[in-house]
Amino acid sequence: MKISKRLYPYYMIWPAFLVYSVFFVVPAIIGLYYSFTDWRLDREVIRFIGWDNFRTIFTDETLILALKNTIIFAIVTVIGKNLLGIALAIGLNMKLKTRNLLRAVFYSPSILSILVISIVFTPMLRTEGMINRMLSAIGLDPLTQAWLTDPSIVIWTIAAVSIWQHVGFQMAIYLAGLQSISKDYYEAATIDGAGPWRSFINITLPLLLPAININLMLTLIGGLKVFSEVFVLTGGGPGNASQVVGTIILRAFGEGSWGLGTAINTLLFAGVTLISIPLLIFMRRREVTE
């Protein structure tokens, strides 16, 4: 009887684990195998070719550019979403009459479809679009750019659009973290003569670490897996200037290079795992020690 009670939680886990295994674990293992093959649309016989697909990834200029763009996008969006998210959360945690309205305004873009965002931003970001016209109107002509057609800045433009869309979501998580911090800490710090900056460094940041941890993980994984923003705004263009790993995977499968596409996807999975898990462990340890 005692044994059956001890095993009861596992009986509840097995159905979910079975579904997860069938739809995620098994396909992932099969995909790992096919990433070492020459699996193509025009091939009837699939041959094992070892590391050739991975050598192609690191020797093809377009694929290397896609990897570089993915890293740039991830770094820029992680920094932008988290810094702006904390700033907005602190500002809207104050006693403002319109704070509830402002929270809704800043959060609302995160629930919009990326297709809607592209319809709004694509005309605005054209050379003759509203953003350049506004810059010219206030005398900032040197700042006008070909936002979506200049290869040197297009990935930065897409990152800025992504930050605009999702920063409200990060703000909401930070806001929840701030509201869970007791005001007694700040009152005690004020009595001890601590100013706003010292209170932020010594009270807010340490107690906000769980929210920071969550947001870092979400933004990092989302940044490395970027696809929809690039696909709807530029399609990887101009040329291949804004290609990322996600769009390269789509192109590889579209061209029938299924083995290469699977290899790129495997590399993406490995990269996300190797970066996110050590960061998660580090942040969890910081939560405990603070």
Side-chain angles (χ1 to χ4, degrees), residues 106-134:
F106 284 112
Y107 182 78
S108 58
S110 65
I111 64 176
L112 295 176
S113 167
I114 187 60
L115 293 175
V116 175
I117 301 296
S118 70
I119 292 171
V120 173
F121 272 94
T122 301
M124 291 173 59
L125 293 168
R126 289 174 181 163
T127 307
E128 70 283 0
M130 187 179 72
I131 292 178
N132 281 343
R133 290 205 303 269
M134 288 178 60

PDB file of all heavy atoms in Angstrom, residues 106-134:
ATOM      1  N   PHE A 106       1.287  50.133 -22.923  1.00  0.00           N
ATOM      2  CA  PHE A 106       2.608  49.535 -23.175  1.00  0.00           C
ATOM      3  C   PHE A 106       2.528  48.023 -23.354  1.00  0.00           C
ATOM      4  O   PHE A 106       3.351  47.446 -24.067  1.00  0.00           O
ATOM      5  CB  PHE A 106       3.571  49.869 -22.033  1.00  0.00           C
ATOM      6  CG  PHE A 106       4.086  51.278 -22.076  1.00  0.00           C
ATOM      7  CD1 PHE A 106       3.728  52.201 -21.114  1.00  0.00           C
ATOM      8  CD2 PHE A 106       4.931  51.683 -23.103  1.00  0.00           C
ATOM      9  CE1 PHE A 106       4.197  53.497 -21.152  1.00  0.00           C
ATOM     10  CE2 PHE A 106       5.412  52.987 -23.156  1.00  0.00           C
ATOM     11  CZ  PHE A 106       5.034  53.904 -22.179  1.00  0.00           C
ATOM     12  N   TYR A 107       1.561  47.376 -22.722  1.00  0.00           N
ATOM     13  CA  TYR A 107       1.444  45.928 -22.829  1.00  0.00           C
ATOM     14  C   TYR A 107       0.750  45.494 -24.120  1.00  0.00           C
ATOM     15  O   TYR A 107       1.048  44.425 -24.656  1.00  0.00           O
ATOM     16  CB  TYR A 107       0.667  45.373 -21.633  1.00  0.00           C
ATOM     17  CG  TYR A 107       0.546  43.871 -21.633  1.00  0.00           C
ATOM     18  CD1 TYR A 107       1.610  43.070 -21.227  1.00  0.00           C
ATOM     19  CD2 TYR A 107      -0.619  43.242 -22.063  1.00  0.00           C
ATOM     20  CE1 TYR A 107       1.517  41.686 -21.241  1.00  0.00           C
ATOM     21  CE2 TYR A 107      -0.725  41.854 -22.076  1.00  0.00           C
ATOM     22  CZ  TYR A 107       0.339  41.090 -21.662  1.00  0.00           C
ATOM     23  OH  TYR A 107       0.245  39.723 -21.687  1.00  0.00           O
ATOM     24  N   SER A 108      -0.141  46.316 -24.642  1.00  0.00           N
ATOM     25  CA  SER A 108      -0.987  45.910 -25.771  1.00  0.00           C
ATOM     26  C   SER A 108      -0.227  45.454 -27.018  1.00  0.00           C
ATOM     27  O   SER A 108      -0.676  44.507 -27.690  1.00  0.00           O
ATOM     28  CB  SER A 108      -1.965  47.038 -26.134  1.00  0.00           C
ATOM     29  OG  SER A 108      -1.278  48.222 -26.445  1.00  0.00           O
ATOM     30  N   PRO A 109       0.931  46.039 -27.393  1.00  0.00           N
ATOM     31  CA  PRO A 109       1.622  45.526 -28.596  1.00  0.00           C
ATOM     32  C   PRO A 109       2.021  44.061 -28.496  1.00  0.00           C
ATOM     33  O   PRO A 109       2.108  43.367 -29.523  1.00  0.00           O
ATOM     34  CB  PRO A 109       2.857  46.428 -28.699  1.00  0.00           C
ATOM     35  CG  PRO A 109       2.468  47.690 -28.007  1.00  0.00           C
ATOM     36  CD  PRO A 109       1.586  47.255 -26.884  1.00  0.00           C
ATOM     37  N   SER A 110       2.261  43.563 -27.286  1.00  0.00           N
ATOM     38  CA  SER A 110       2.721  42.178 -27.137  1.00  0.00           C
ATOM     39  C   SER A 110       1.646  41.162 -27.474  1.00  0.00           C
ATOM     40  O   SER A 110       1.951  39.982 -27.689  1.00  0.00           O
ATOM     41  CB  SER A 110       3.229  41.935 -25.707  1.00  0.00           C
ATOM     42  OG  SER A 110       2.167  42.059 -24.776  1.00  0.00           O
ATOM     43  N   ILE A 111       0.375  41.576 -27.527  1.00  0.00           N
ATOM     44  CA  ILE A 111      -0.697  40.643 -27.869  1.00  0.00           C
ATOM     45  C   ILE A 111      -1.095  40.751 -29.337  1.00  0.00           C
ATOM     46  O   ILE A 111      -1.959  40.016 -29.799  1.00  0.00           O
ATOM     47  CB  ILE A 111      -1.936  40.852 -26.973  1.00  0.00           C
ATOM     48  CG1 ILE A 111      -2.538  42.244 -27.200  1.00  0.00           C
ATOM     49  CG2 ILE A 111      -1.580  40.652 -25.511  1.00  0.00           C
ATOM     50  CD1 ILE A 111      -3.819  42.479 -26.430  1.00  0.00           C
ATOM     51  N   LEU A 112      -0.454  41.664 -30.062  1.00  0.00           N
ATOM     52  CA  LEU A 112      -0.758  41.814 -31.486  1.00  0.00           C
ATOM     53  C   LEU A 112      -0.001  40.778 -32.308  1.00  0.00           C
ATOM     54  O   LEU A 112       1.107  40.369 -31.949  1.00  0.00           O
ATOM     55  CB  LEU A 112      -0.382  43.212 -31.969  1.00  0.00           C
ATOM     56  CG  LEU A 112      -1.164  44.398 -31.382  1.00  0.00           C
ATOM     57  CD1 LEU A 112      -0.593  45.705 -31.909  1.00  0.00           C
ATOM     58  CD2 LEU A 112      -2.642  44.294 -31.695  1.00  0.00           C
ATOM     59  N   SER A 113      -0.582  40.381 -33.417  1.00  0.00           N
ATOM     60  CA  SER A 113       0.093  39.480 -34.340  1.00  0.00           C
ATOM     61  C   SER A 113       1.248  40.212 -35.020  1.00  0.00           C
ATOM     62  O   SER A 113       1.164  41.414 -35.311  1.00  0.00           O
ATOM     63  CB  SER A 113      -0.895  38.979 -35.392  1.00  0.00           C
ATOM     64  OG  SER A 113      -0.214  38.353 -36.461  1.00  0.00           O
ATOM     65  N   ILE A 114       2.319  39.481 -35.283  1.00  0.00           N
ATOM     66  CA  ILE A 114       3.462  40.081 -35.970  1.00  0.00           C
ATOM     67  C   ILE A 114       3.080  40.531 -37.374  1.00  0.00           C
ATOM     68  O   ILE A 114       3.674  41.465 -37.923  1.00  0.00           O
ATOM     69  CB  ILE A 114       4.651  39.098 -36.020  1.00  0.00           C
ATOM     70  CG1 ILE A 114       5.913  39.778 -36.585  1.00  0.00           C
ATOM     71  CG2 ILE A 114       4.297  37.855 -36.790  1.00  0.00           C
ATOM     72  CD1 ILE A 114       6.385  40.959 -35.812  1.00  0.00           C
ATOM     73  N   LEU A 115       2.061  39.905 -37.967  1.00  0.00           N
ATOM     74  CA  LEU A 115       1.582  40.351 -39.279  1.00  0.00           C
ATOM     75  C   LEU A 115       0.996  41.747 -39.194  1.00  0.00           C
ATOM     76  O   LEU A 115       1.203  42.581 -40.085  1.00  0.00           O
ATOM     77  CB  LEU A 115       0.539  39.365 -39.823  1.00  0.00           C
ATOM     78  CG  LEU A 115       1.054  37.970 -40.189  1.00  0.00           C
ATOM     79  CD1 LEU A 115      -0.096  37.072 -40.589  1.00  0.00           C
ATOM     80  CD2 LEU A 115       2.080  38.057 -41.311  1.00  0.00           C
ATOM     81  N   VAL A 116       0.254  42.015 -38.120  1.00  0.00           N
ATOM     82  CA  VAL A 116      -0.295  43.357 -37.911  1.00  0.00           C
ATOM     83  C   VAL A 116       0.840  44.355 -37.711  1.00  0.00           C
ATOM     84  O   VAL A 116       0.811  45.464 -38.270  1.00  0.00           O
ATOM     85  CB  VAL A 116      -1.244  43.366 -36.703  1.00  0.00           C
ATOM     86  CG1 VAL A 116      -1.732  44.784 -36.403  1.00  0.00           C
ATOM     87  CG2 VAL A 116      -2.419  42.426 -36.936  1.00  0.00           C
ATOM     88  N   ILE A 117       1.841  43.964 -36.921  1.00  0.00           N
ATOM     89  CA  ILE A 117       2.993  44.840 -36.682  1.00  0.00           C
ATOM     90  C   ILE A 117       3.692  45.168 -37.994  1.00  0.00           C
ATOM     91  O   ILE A 117       4.080  46.313 -38.238  1.00  0.00           O
ATOM     92  CB  ILE A 117       3.983  44.161 -35.713  1.00  0.00           C
ATOM     93  CG1 ILE A 117       3.312  43.829 -34.380  1.00  0.00           C
ATOM     94  CG2 ILE A 117       5.205  45.046 -35.498  1.00  0.00           C
ATOM     95  CD1 ILE A 117       2.850  44.991 -33.593  1.00  0.00           C
ATOM     96  N   SER A 118       3.846  44.171 -38.864  1.00  0.00           N
ATOM     97  CA  SER A 118       4.530  44.406 -40.140  1.00  0.00           C
ATOM     98  C   SER A 118       3.728  45.350 -41.036  1.00  0.00           C
ATOM     99  O   SER A 118       4.302  46.191 -41.734  1.00  0.00           O
ATOM    100  CB  SER A 118       4.779  43.090 -40.862  1.00  0.00           C
ATOM    101  OG  SER A 118       3.569  42.518 -41.328  1.00  0.00           O
ATOM    102  N   ILE A 119       2.407  45.202 -41.029  1.00  0.00           N
ATOM    103  CA  ILE A 119       1.561  46.089 -41.840  1.00  0.00           C
ATOM    104  C   ILE A 119       1.703  47.537 -41.376  1.00  0.00           C
ATOM    105  O   ILE A 119       1.701  48.468 -42.186  1.00  0.00           O
ATOM    106  CB  ILE A 119       0.087  45.632 -41.770  1.00  0.00           C
ATOM    107  CG1 ILE A 119      -0.080  44.288 -42.479  1.00  0.00           C
ATOM    108  CG2 ILE A 119      -0.840  46.670 -42.385  1.00  0.00           C
ATOM    109  CD1 ILE A 119      -1.442  43.656 -42.279  1.00  0.00           C
ATOM    110  N   VAL A 120       1.862  47.724 -40.068  1.00  0.00           N
ATOM    111  CA  VAL A 120       2.004  49.080 -39.516  1.00  0.00           C
ATOM    112  C   VAL A 120       3.391  49.634 -39.770  1.00  0.00           C
ATOM    113  O   VAL A 120       3.545  50.786 -40.204  1.00  0.00           O
ATOM    114  CB  VAL A 120       1.700  49.069 -37.999  1.00  0.00           C
ATOM    115  CG1 VAL A 120       2.014  50.438 -37.382  1.00  0.00           C
ATOM    116  CG2 VAL A 120       0.245  48.695 -37.751  1.00  0.00           C
ATOM    117  N   PHE A 121       4.426  48.824 -39.516  1.00  0.00           N
ATOM    118  CA  PHE A 121       5.786  49.348 -39.531  1.00  0.00           C
ATOM    119  C   PHE A 121       6.425  49.391 -40.918  1.00  0.00           C
ATOM    120  O   PHE A 121       7.285  50.246 -41.154  1.00  0.00           O
ATOM    121  CB  PHE A 121       6.673  48.521 -38.586  1.00  0.00           C
ATOM    122  CG  PHE A 121       6.664  49.019 -37.178  1.00  0.00           C
ATOM    123  CD1 PHE A 121       5.786  48.493 -36.249  1.00  0.00           C
ATOM    124  CD2 PHE A 121       7.520  50.023 -36.778  1.00  0.00           C
ATOM    125  CE1 PHE A 121       5.768  48.949 -34.951  1.00  0.00           C
ATOM    126  CE2 PHE A 121       7.520  50.494 -35.487  1.00  0.00           C
ATOM    127  CZ  PHE A 121       6.632  49.952 -34.561  1.00  0.00           C
ATOM    128  N   THR A 122       6.063  48.499 -41.810  1.00  0.00           N
ATOM    129  CA  THR A 122       6.711  48.488 -43.125  1.00  0.00           C
ATOM    130  C   THR A 122       6.571  49.821 -43.850  1.00  0.00           C
ATOM    131  O   THR A 122       7.575  50.364 -44.344  1.00  0.00           O
ATOM    132  CB  THR A 122       6.174  47.327 -43.985  1.00  0.00           C
ATOM    133  OG1 THR A 122       6.419  46.088 -43.317  1.00  0.00           O
ATOM    134  CG2 THR A 122       6.861  47.306 -45.343  1.00  0.00           C
ATOM    135  N   PRO A 123       5.374  50.415 -43.956  1.00  0.00           N
ATOM    136  CA  PRO A 123       5.280  51.738 -44.603  1.00  0.00           C
ATOM    137  C   PRO A 123       6.027  52.820 -43.817  1.00  0.00           C
ATOM    138  O   PRO A 123       6.627  53.724 -44.410  1.00  0.00           O
ATOM    139  CB  PRO A 123       3.772  52.022 -44.625  1.00  0.00           C
ATOM    140  CG  PRO A 123       3.113  50.707 -44.426  1.00  0.00           C
ATOM    141  CD  PRO A 123       4.042  49.909 -43.578  1.00  0.00           C
ATOM    142  N   MET A 124       6.011  52.729 -42.488  1.00  0.00           N
ATOM    143  CA  MET A 124       6.676  53.742 -41.665  1.00  0.00           C
ATOM    144  C   MET A 124       8.183  53.724 -41.853  1.00  0.00           C
ATOM    145  O   MET A 124       8.844  54.764 -41.760  1.00  0.00           O
ATOM    146  CB  MET A 124       6.344  53.512 -40.188  1.00  0.00           C
ATOM    147  CG  MET A 124       4.897  53.784 -39.818  1.00  0.00           C
ATOM    148  SD  MET A 124       4.537  53.305 -38.110  1.00  0.00           S
ATOM    149  CE  MET A 124       5.696  54.320 -37.203  1.00  0.00           C
ATOM    150  N   LEU A 125       8.754  52.541 -42.123  1.00  0.00           N
ATOM    151  CA  LEU A 125      10.205  52.396 -42.191  1.00  0.00           C
ATOM    152  C   LEU A 125      10.768  52.524 -43.601  1.00  0.00           C
ATOM    153  O   LEU A 125      11.972  52.373 -43.797  1.00  0.00           O
ATOM    154  CB  LEU A 125      10.613  51.040 -41.601  1.00  0.00           C
ATOM    155  CG  LEU A 125      10.383  50.884 -40.097  1.00  0.00           C
ATOM    156  CD1 LEU A 125      10.545  49.433 -39.671  1.00  0.00           C
ATOM    157  CD2 LEU A 125      11.341  51.770 -39.308  1.00  0.00           C
ATOM    158  N   ARG A 126       9.922  52.796 -44.570  1.00  0.00           N
ATOM    159  CA  ARG A 126      10.422  53.032 -45.918  1.00  0.00           C
ATOM    160  C   ARG A 126      11.225  54.322 -45.976  1.00  0.00           C
ATOM    161  O   ARG A 126      11.122  55.177 -45.099  1.00  0.00           O
ATOM    162  CB  ARG A 126       9.262  53.085 -46.913  1.00  0.00           C
ATOM    163  CG  ARG A 126       8.616  51.726 -47.167  1.00  0.00           C
ATOM    164  CD  ARG A 126       7.394  51.852 -48.035  1.00  0.00           C
ATOM    165  NE  ARG A 126       6.761  50.552 -48.255  1.00  0.00           N
ATOM    166  CZ  ARG A 126       5.532  50.379 -48.692  1.00  0.00           C
ATOM    167  NH1 ARG A 126       4.778  51.449 -48.979  1.00  0.00           N
ATOM    168  NH2 ARG A 126       5.028  49.167 -48.856  1.00  0.00           N
ATOM    169  N   THR A 127      12.012  54.461 -47.048  1.00  0.00           N
ATOM    170  CA  THR A 127      12.843  55.662 -47.195  1.00  0.00           C
ATOM    171  C   THR A 127      12.001  56.926 -47.156  1.00  0.00           C
ATOM    172  O   THR A 127      12.397  57.939 -46.571  1.00  0.00           O
ATOM    173  CB  THR A 127      13.647  55.593 -48.507  1.00  0.00           C
ATOM    174  OG1 THR A 127      14.370  54.356 -48.556  1.00  0.00           O
ATOM    175  CG2 THR A 127      14.617  56.760 -48.604  1.00  0.00           C
ATOM    176  N   GLU A 128      10.816  56.875 -47.788  1.00  0.00           N
ATOM    177  CA  GLU A 128       9.923  58.039 -47.786  1.00  0.00           C
ATOM    178  C   GLU A 128       8.842  57.907 -46.726  1.00  0.00           C
ATOM    179  O   GLU A 128       7.825  58.611 -46.758  1.00  0.00           O
ATOM    180  CB  GLU A 128       9.275  58.201 -49.173  1.00  0.00           C
ATOM    181  CG  GLU A 128       8.254  57.124 -49.548  1.00  0.00           C
ATOM    182  CD  GLU A 128       8.876  55.805 -49.974  1.00  0.00           C
ATOM    183  OE1 GLU A 128      10.121  55.717 -49.984  1.00  0.00           O
ATOM    184  OE2 GLU A 128       8.108  54.882 -50.300  1.00  0.00           O
ATOM    185  N   GLY A 129       9.057  57.009 -45.744  1.00  0.00           N
ATOM    186  CA  GLY A 129       8.045  56.733 -44.727  1.00  0.00           C
ATOM    187  C   GLY A 129       7.955  57.795 -43.654  1.00  0.00           C
ATOM    188  O   GLY A 129       8.703  58.783 -43.635  1.00  0.00           O
ATOM    189  N   MET A 130       7.031  57.561 -42.715  1.00  0.00           N
ATOM    190  CA  MET A 130       6.714  58.549 -41.695  1.00  0.00           C
ATOM    191  C   MET A 130       7.885  58.844 -40.765  1.00  0.00           C
ATOM    192  O   MET A 130       8.100  59.991 -40.353  1.00  0.00           O
ATOM    193  CB  MET A 130       5.512  58.078 -40.877  1.00  0.00           C
ATOM    194  CG  MET A 130       4.989  59.116 -39.898  1.00  0.00           C
ATOM    195  SD  MET A 130       3.564  58.529 -38.965  1.00  0.00           S
ATOM    196  CE  MET A 130       4.357  57.339 -37.883  1.00  0.00           C
ATOM    197  N   ILE A 131       8.674  57.827 -40.419  1.00  0.00           N
ATOM    198  CA  ILE A 131       9.785  58.041 -39.488  1.00  0.00           C
ATOM    199  C   ILE A 131      10.812  58.994 -40.080  1.00  0.00           C
ATOM    200  O   ILE A 131      11.261  59.947 -39.423  1.00  0.00           O
ATOM    201  CB  ILE A 131      10.429  56.695 -39.112  1.00  0.00           C
ATOM    202  CG1 ILE A 131       9.456  55.864 -38.271  1.00  0.00           C
ATOM    203  CG2 ILE A 131      11.741  56.912 -38.356  1.00  0.00           C
ATOM    204  CD1 ILE A 131       9.972  54.506 -37.890  1.00  0.00           C
ATOM    205  N   ASN A 132      11.188  58.775 -41.337  1.00  0.00           N
ATOM    206  CA  ASN A 132      12.145  59.685 -41.977  1.00  0.00           C
ATOM    207  C   ASN A 132      11.561  61.074 -42.167  1.00  0.00           C
ATOM    208  O   ASN A 132      12.268  62.082 -42.034  1.00  0.00           O
ATOM    209  CB  ASN A 132      12.597  59.110 -43.321  1.00  0.00           C
ATOM    210  CG  ASN A 132      13.656  58.027 -43.163  1.00  0.00           C
ATOM    211  OD1 ASN A 132      14.282  57.899 -42.110  1.00  0.00           O
ATOM    212  ND2 ASN A 132      13.857  57.247 -44.210  1.00  0.00           N
ATOM    213  N   ARG A 133      10.280  61.161 -42.479  1.00  0.00           N
ATOM    214  CA  ARG A 133       9.649  62.473 -42.634  1.00  0.00           C
ATOM    215  C   ARG A 133       9.617  63.242 -41.314  1.00  0.00           C
ATOM    216  O   ARG A 133       9.839  64.459 -41.284  1.00  0.00           O
ATOM    217  CB  ARG A 133       8.225  62.314 -43.178  1.00  0.00           C
ATOM    218  CG  ARG A 133       8.165  61.860 -44.632  1.00  0.00           C
ATOM    219  CD  ARG A 133       6.871  62.289 -45.300  1.00  0.00           C
ATOM    220  NE  ARG A 133       5.708  61.797 -44.583  1.00  0.00           N
ATOM    221  CZ  ARG A 133       5.101  60.642 -44.825  1.00  0.00           C
ATOM    222  NH1 ARG A 133       5.580  59.834 -45.781  1.00  0.00           N
ATOM    223  NH2 ARG A 133       4.041  60.278 -44.142  1.00  0.00           N
ATOM    224  N   MET A 134       9.379  62.528 -40.221  1.00  0.00           N
ATOM    225  CA  MET A 134       9.379  63.169 -38.904  1.00  0.00           C
ATOM    226  C   MET A 134      10.773  63.653 -38.542  1.00  0.00           C
ATOM    227  O   MET A 134      10.943  64.764 -38.010  1.00  0.00           O
ATOM    228  CB  MET A 134       8.868  62.186 -37.847  1.00  0.00           C
ATOM    229  CG  MET A 134       7.376  61.904 -37.919  1.00  0.00           C
ATOM    230  SD  MET A 134       6.842  60.685 -36.684  1.00  0.00           S
ATOM    231  CE  MET A 134       7.317  61.498 -35.163  1.00  0.00           C
TER     232      MET A 134
END
